[in-house]
Amino acid sequence: MKIISIGLAIIFFASPHIALSQNVRVQDPSMKIAFPTEAKSKSNSEEGEILPNMKAQSMPDELQSLPEFREDDARRPKNLQRQDQVFTLQEAIEAAFEHNHQVRIQKIEKTKAENRVTRGNAGQLPTLSLSGDLKWSYSDLELTPGSFFENLITPQQPTNGDDPSGDGNELSSPSSNSSVSYDGVTTTVLQAGLGAQYMIFDGFRGRSQYRLLETGSEIAGLQHKNELEETILDITRQYIEAATLQEAAALQEMTLEQSQARYEIVQARREYGQISEQQVLQSLADLKSDSVRYRDLLQRHENAWRNLHSTIGWDQRTVMTLEADVASGFQPDYEQLLQALKENNTGMAIREERIRYADNEYQLARSVSMPSVTASAQYGYNYQHASEGQFESQEQLGFTGGLTVSVPIFTGGRNRTERENARESIRQEQLRYKESEQELRTAFDNTWEQYQHFKRQLATERSNRDVYERNFERAQDTFDRGLITG
């Protein structure tokens, strides 16, 4: 299957911390898995005993005192219901892509990062705003005019000593300053305008900020991709684990049925005195032991299904039959995988983007120390009204504009500190890149050796299976000729 090829490839170059689990059994592609059915029994009582009742008159006391072995001892719990529909690995991965919570969270983070990549967020576009302001005040007012306004209110009178006009009269000064008081003065101020502002030059700060947004978007996209790869790996592992337990339960069911048949034979032979009581007890103990192992496998299989459902991220809890043949024809080569690891590993790509991000932060820190030029313009209306004062009302409508130049001279060493820290951040990300590279190579070599070990182990198990098949065929032939009885 194609999906197993992808999953196996991810094991080698998806993440620096990924290795094959020793608990995952290598499946033989020729083996077909059937979901275990409920234990078949031959019951002679209404309580559903899995064994026939032993007659008290022919049984020793130690056998009569043993607890009855019932069908419930081997029956699968009913808290999970099984369906005969086959749930494939491809369907499990597709369902995880749709429902897994971490995948959905990373997808949202990717969308948010992409939305932030605009020139406006980088401060490279002009801003346009509409503003309005209305103020009203009520107060008591007292005015004391100065000499200029005093001369306007009370002009100087000419006197004989000072005659600037030559008419023989001098100017007399005002007698004293007088105050004017107003009670309950109301003032209304209304302002409205449309303003625009544009950064003509900001020391390349906007360009660095835009590159930061682009790099952040790339990192978010790679993190989403990495989450998808991790999900494929987790689903594949848990699916294989559940399928392995499904097969083991089916085989254990066959063993349980054989133990039951063996016990029935031993019981019959005991009634005729052909075997000892110890052999009957041993046969019953084997039957109970096989039943315990069968129930344990069923419980582990259901737990594996719950874990698989939890990783997928949906609320479904139905146990379904898993596909048996999940093998792949993918034959990895060490050098090819190592090269693919260097070129396609998502974790290393994230490290590279983080180095670029740190470099852009350094360029941004440098631009803060450069001068900036800002142009601004506004077209607005201004209205003022006062119940008392020099003017009762005043209106103004028109356009204003200007340029603002800002040159940072001294900031207390803050800009220099930011530049130094940004430079150290670049070195820090470079060291992390080298560390991840070494860890990835170590994990790859360990995984490759583990893969070779599993291949050798699989070849040995297949050879053992051939030996067991030949022994069974020989025993079957001997049994058919009556040379052995069980």
Side-chain angles (χ1 to χ4, degrees):
M1 294 177 61
K2 294 182 179 179
I3 194 63
I4 301 303
S5 300
I6 298 175
L8 184 56
I10 291 173
I11 289 176
F12 287 100
F13 51 82
S15 174
H17 305 291
I18 293 177
L20 290 173
S21 173
Q22 296 181 357
N23 295 327
V24 178
R25 293 172 48 189
V26 179
Q27 298 296 313
D28 187 348
S30 63
M31 300 182 65
K32 301 298 182 180
I33 304 175
F35 193 91
T37 58
E38 296 182 358
K40 299 178 181 178
S41 62
K42 297 180 180 180
S43 177
N44 296 330
S45 67
E46 295 181 356
E47 296 180 353
E49 298 178 359
I50 194 171
L51 298 177
N53 292 331
M54 293 179 288
K55 298 180 180 180
Q57 61 271 20
S58 61
M59 297 299 299
D61 295 338
E62 56 269 26
L63 289 183
Q64 296 184 37
S65 61
L66 290 175
E68 294 182 349
F69 185 79
R70 303 181 182 280
E71 184 181 7
D72 293 338
D73 294 335
R75 182 177 299 162
R76 178 167 51 87
K78 297 299 183 180
N79 56 332
L80 294 179
Q81 296 182 354
R82 179 180 63 86
Q83 292 183 356
D84 294 331
Q85 178 185 359
V86 177
F87 187 59
T88 65
L89 178 59
Q90 180 68 34
E91 293 173 344
I93 293 176
E94 292 176 354
F97 283 174
E98 181 180 357
H99 299 282
N100 183 269
H101 297 92
Q102 289 301 320
V103 170
R104 296 168 65 184
I105 290 174
Q106 288 298 330
K107 186 177 180 180
I108 294 175
E109 291 295 332
K110 176 185 175 183
T111 303
K112 290 166 59 178
E114 291 175 348
N115 293 338
R116 284 192 290 265
V117 184
T118 62
R119 296 289 179 179
N121 288 332
Q124 293 182 299
L125 296 179
T127 60
L128 184 65
S129 61
L130 181 63
S131 61
D133 188 19
L134 176 62
K135 296 180 180 179
W136 182 85
S137 64
Y138 177 87
S139 61
D140 294 333
L141 182 63
E142 181 177 352
L143 299 176
T144 302
S147 59
F148 175 77
F149 288 99
E150 183 68 23
N151 291 331
L152 293 178
I153 298 173
T154 308
Q156 295 180 353
Q157 301 297 327
T159 62
N160 294 329
D162 188 5
D163 187 10
S165 61
D167 55 2
N169 296 324
E170 296 180 357
L171 296 176
S172 61
S173 59
S175 58
S176 62
N177 294 338
S178 60
S179 299
V180 179
S181 300
Y182 300 96
D183 296 332
V185 178
T186 60
T187 304
T188 303
V189 178
L190 173 63
Q191 294 177 343
L194 180 65
Q197 190 175 19
Y198 178 66
M199 181 72 69
I200 299 176
F201 179 75
D202 60 355
F204 307 106
R205 191 179 310 143
R207 184 180 65 178
S208 300
Q209 185 67 35
Y210 185 75
R211 289 178 178 177
L212 275 177
L213 296 175
E214 285 184 324
T215 308
S217 178
E218 290 292 331
I219 293 175
L222 290 172
Q223 289 175 339
H224 177 247
K225 178 184 177 183
N226 184 72
E227 188 63 38
L228 292 176
E229 293 174 351
E230 291 285 350
T231 301
I232 292 176
L233 185 61
D234 292 340
I235 291 296
T236 302
R237 282 176 171 173
Q238 294 181 7
Y239 188 95
I240 292 177
E241 179 183 3
T244 301
L245 292 172
Q246 174 181 279
E247 176 193 3
L251 296 176
Q252 185 61 31
E253 182 187 18
M254 297 172 59
T255 301
L256 180 60
E257 293 175 354
Q258 293 174 359
S259 297
Q260 178 183 346
R262 186 184 304 113
Y263 177 78
E264 292 174 354
I265 294 174
V266 169
Q267 181 189 12
R269 295 179 63 186
R270 175 65 185 87
E271 293 178 356
Y272 291 99
Q274 296 178 356
I275 58 175
S276 64
E277 299 173 0
Q278 182 180 0
Q279 291 174 305
V280 177
L281 291 173
Q282 183 61 46
S283 178
L284 181 59
D286 292 340
L287 178 58
K288 287 181 172 291
S289 177
D290 290 337
S291 174
V292 170
R293 284 195 293 268
Y294 178 62
R295 296 185 62 188
D296 178 69
L297 286 172
L298 290 177
Q299 184 63 38
R300 290 170 57 191
H301 173 252
E302 291 170 354
N303 291 342
W305 255 107
R306 294 187 187 95
N307 294 334
L308 181 60
H309 284 310
S310 178
T311 304
I312 291 176
W314 57 16
D315 295 330
Q316 184 177 163
R317 289 296 182 266
T318 303
V319 176
M320 294 178 290
T321 304
L322 302 178
E323 60 179 340
D325 188 5
V326 293
S328 171
F330 177 66
Q331 297 296 331
D333 177 76
Y334 181 85
E335 296 298 333
Q336 292 180 354
L337 279 178
L338 183 60
Q339 184 64 27
L341 179 70
K342 296 177 180 179
E343 295 176 356
N344 303 317
N345 184 264
T346 306
M348 297 306 299
I350 293 176
R351 288 298 182 196
E352 292 178 359
E353 291 297 329
R354 290 196 180 279
I355 294 177
R356 295 191 184 95
Y357 192 89
D359 182 69
N360 291 328
E361 284 186 326
Y362 174 70
Q363 298 298 330
L364 181 63
R366 289 183 56 188
S367 65
V368 175
S369 301
M370 302 185 69
S372 61
V373 180
T374 305
S376 60
Q378 182 178 9
Y379 182 82
Y381 172 76
N382 189 315
Y383 172 78
Q384 296 183 8
H385 173 77
S387 60
E388 303 291 346
Q390 183 180 2
F391 302 102
E392 181 178 355
S393 64
Q394 179 180 354
E395 290 185 87
Q396 182 180 357
L397 177 65
F399 173 83
T400 58
L403 291 176
T404 303
V405 179
S406 176
V407 180
I409 298 176
F410 179 73
T411 59
R414 185 176 64 253
N415 293 342
R416 185 181 62 182
T417 302
E418 291 180 356
R419 290 196 302 270
E420 292 297 328
N421 289 342
R423 187 182 293 111
E424 293 299 324
S425 295
I426 296 177
R427 295 179 54 190
Q428 186 180 35
E429 293 299 333
Q430 291 173 345
L431 291 175
R432 287 174 177 171
Y433 179 86
K434 293 183 178 298
E435 180 187 23
S436 298
E437 191 176 27
Q438 293 178 353
E439 291 178 351
L440 183 62
R441 181 59 185 271
T442 301
F444 174 77
D445 290 336
N446 293 341
T447 304
W448 178 262
E449 292 299 326
Q450 194 174 23
Y451 170 72
Q452 298 298 324
H453 169 71
F454 284 150
K455 285 182 62 177
R456 293 189 294 267
Q457 184 178 358
L458 177 61
T460 302
E461 292 295 338
R462 285 176 175 172
S463 177
N464 292 339
R465 186 188 63 181
D466 295 338
V467 173
Y468 295 149
E469 288 177 351
R470 290 197 298 269
N471 289 338
F472 176 77
E473 292 174 357
R474 182 177 300 176
Q476 183 68 37
D477 180 68
T478 306
F479 179 78
D480 294 340
R481 289 185 290 146
L483 299 180
I484 58 176
T485 58

